[in-house]
Amino acid sequence: MASTGHHPKSSKKTLPLQSLLMPQVPRNNYLHLQEEKQRLQLKKFLLHRMFLVANTQANLEKKEIAEYYEQVFQSILKRHLGEAVTGLLLVYPTSILHILESSSGTLYQILLDYLDHERKETEYLVHNMKIIVISHNIPTRLFMQWHVSVIRVPVMYLDDVTQSQSLNEIITDFLTQTHKLALHLFKTVKAGAKGPGDNLHQVAPDLLLPEQIIKYLLKCEQFMDPVTFMNMYNKPIHITMDAEVVWPAPSRF
């Protein structure tokens, strides 16, 4: 006797070809990875660290330069989106060492402010500024706030290391000492504190750079001044692809 029952329908469904071709594992690119890192660290922008040196006016007061830069930072954050500025400003008798941590746009505006004073030829607190190095996309800040400290150490003209060392050796010592000083302040200065004070030459004398090093770097032509740097920063990049090259070159009749 023939069976009149219906065959049970198969529970397996044929998947469309498009779904088979799509990757089953979600894939992220490097940009998404960096954005996720910034989100987890509560940062809206990538952080950068910039080392500046400059000559100063005679008898520059700490209060005067501190108030000026604080006004610049506040003005920039009001007009442009970016990260807050942290870092350290060391005021020597005739020069400064300035370490700044912030987003690229904020650092860009700080340099523009300096250039604006130079173009107007107005009396400015600092002059002959040089950019020693810029560290891009730093993983974390070395400074929790922005501090100013006056270095009251007399200039030593004897045993000048700049006469016995190469530029590479001096730059290596410069970066090593500044990072050691930053780590020392990171461990010793609590968040919300006023800062390291003006007795760094007593608390951490081995971590302070002598002013003769700052003066030597200011004279080196290998380092860019803000004008040269900004010209390169704003210069568009034109890349000629092989497909754009036509031979023979077109000519007009």
Side-chain angles (χ1 to χ4, degrees), residues 84-154:
V85 179
T86 58
L88 177 66
L89 174 62
L90 299 181
V91 182
Y92 289 83
T94 59
S95 61
I96 62 169
L97 165 61
H98 205 175
I99 307 173
L100 296 164
E101 298 174 334
S102 187
S103 50
S104 59
T106 302
L107 298 179
Y108 177 89
Q109 293 297 324
I110 293 173
L111 293 178
L112 279 181
D113 179 81
Y114 170 81
L115 293 179
D116 185 56
H117 284 277
E118 276 202 337
R119 294 191 189 100
K120 295 178 180 178
E121 297 182 354
T122 56
E123 188 176 359
Y124 192 50
L125 300 174
V126 298
H127 56 278
N128 298 334
M129 181 180 288
K130 289 290 185 67
I131 301 172
I132 304 303
V133 67
I134 300 179
S135 302
H136 298 285
N137 192 17
I138 57 177
T140 185
R141 296 177 186 265
L142 287 176
F143 303 93
M144 296 297 102
Q145 300 178 89
W146 182 76
H147 302 295
V148 183
S149 182
V150 177
I151 308 303
R152 305 184 186 280
V153 179

Side-chain angles (χ1 to χ4, degrees), residues 152-166:
R152 305 184 186 280
V153 179
V155 179
M156 300 297 294
Y157 294 97
L158 299 178
D159 299 329
D160 189 351
V161 296
T162 61
Q163 297 180 3
S164 59
Q165 293 182 345
S166 66

Side-chain angles (χ1 to χ4, degrees), residues 27-48 83 136-140:
R27 300 179 183 275
N28 292 327
N29 56 31
Y30 185 72
L31 176 61
H32 292 160
L33 178 62
Q34 293 297 321
E35 290 176 342
E36 182 64 15
K37 284 184 178 181
Q38 303 303 312
R39 187 186 67 80
L40 294 176
Q41 296 177 10
L42 301 178
K43 295 186 296 186
K44 297 180 180 179
F45 301 88
L46 296 178
L47 286 174
H48 310 277
E83 292 289 332
H136 298 285
N137 192 17
I138 57 177
T140 185

